[in-house]
Structures are given as structure tokens and as C-alpha cells.
Amino acid sequence: MKPVSFVFIRLGIGISMLGHGLVRIPKLSAFSAGMVGNFSESILPELLVTPFSLVLPFLELMLGLALILGWKTRIAGISGALLMLLLMFGTSMIENWSALPSQMIHLLFFVLVYEFNEVNTFSLDASNPSAK
């Protein structure tokens, strides 16, 4: 993969994650209540859903910033992929099948970020290769 292609992939998923976090944080209580409501009839207990719903927007924001800056990119790719797997599991538990394709696309982007990190030249990581 060419370095410029990688930048577009990294920025694309970074902007998506940053946007998810930015729009959810100002309405965090309503977002959390909505998520808890969506999971009310699933097998997942509110005791797990509530803290996850409160932390999720901040994780999205941090992942987005890290990817846009190209900082700790490899770790961001792994973390984002794990986050997507958790979201996909939850989505399956509430049978929201229409959300899965979007989550799978996000997962693919995170895998690409991890897989092709060696061409991550236009980034903060490039200025300090040991920080990757």
C-alpha cells in the first residue's frame, strides 16, 4: 500500500470515530439512556450497558484523535477493532441487523490501519518510530 493511500484510510476512520464521539458527548445522558433502553430486553444486564454507554463516546473521540494525528496508530487500530467487535456483539444481542454492515466496514478499516501501519509516514508516529 502506498503511504498516501494509508493516510486516506487512517483519516477516514479517524474522522468517523471523532465525529461519533463529538456528537455524543454533549448529549451523553440522553445517549446513554437511549442505549440502555435499546438493550433493556437483551440478555446484557444494565449493569454492563450503562458504564459502556457512558465511556463509548470518549473512546470514540480518543481513537479518532489518535488516528487523525497518526499517534500510536498500531495500538489505535487494534483498540478500534476490539471496540467494533464489542459493538457488533451488542448489535447482535438486540438484533439490529441493519447496523452490522456499517460496523463491519469500520472493523475492516481498523484492520487495514493495523495491517499496513509500516507505511504510516505522514503521522506523529513517523517522527518517533519507537512510539508506534
Side-chain angles (χ1 to χ4, degrees):
M1 178 177 292
K2 294 178 182 174
V4 173
S5 299
F6 183 82
V7 169
F8 289 134
I9 287 172
R10 195 188 80 223
L11 289 176
I13 191 64
I15 290 168
S16 178
M17 296 307 291
L18 180 74
H20 276 82
L22 280 176
V23 300
R24 290 174 173 166
I25 289 172
K27 55 182 181 182
L28 187 59
S29 294
F31 171 74
S32 177
M35 194 167 175
V36 169
N38 288 339
F39 281 86
S40 64
E41 302 207 11
S42 76
I43 64 167
L44 297 175
E46 187 175 329
L47 187 65
L48 290 178
V49 176
T50 299
F52 184 80
S53 69
L54 293 170
V55 170
L56 177 61
F58 295 98
L59 293 175
E60 292 169 330
L61 180 79
M62 290 186 307
L63 279 170
L65 282 174
L67 289 165
I68 289 168
L69 296 173
W71 181 70
K72 302 285 186 185
T73 308
R74 186 173 132 321
I75 293 169
I78 293 168
S79 300
L82 291 171
L83 179 60
M84 284 301 120
L85 293 173
L86 286 173
L87 290 171
M88 290 168 66
F89 177 75
T91 297
S92 297
M93 293 298 98
I94 59 172
E95 300 182 81
N96 184 3
W97 309 122
S98 62
L100 276 174
S102 174
Q103 292 169 338
M104 292 179 78
I105 290 168
H106 278 75
L107 175 62
L108 175 61
F109 271 75
F110 281 118
V111 169
L112 291 172
V113 164
Y114 172 77
E115 187 65 28
F116 294 103
N117 190 49
E118 71 274 356
V119 296
N120 189 21
T121 55
F122 303 109
S123 65
L124 290 178
D125 287 343
S127 63
N128 184 8
S130 64
K132 289 183 182 183

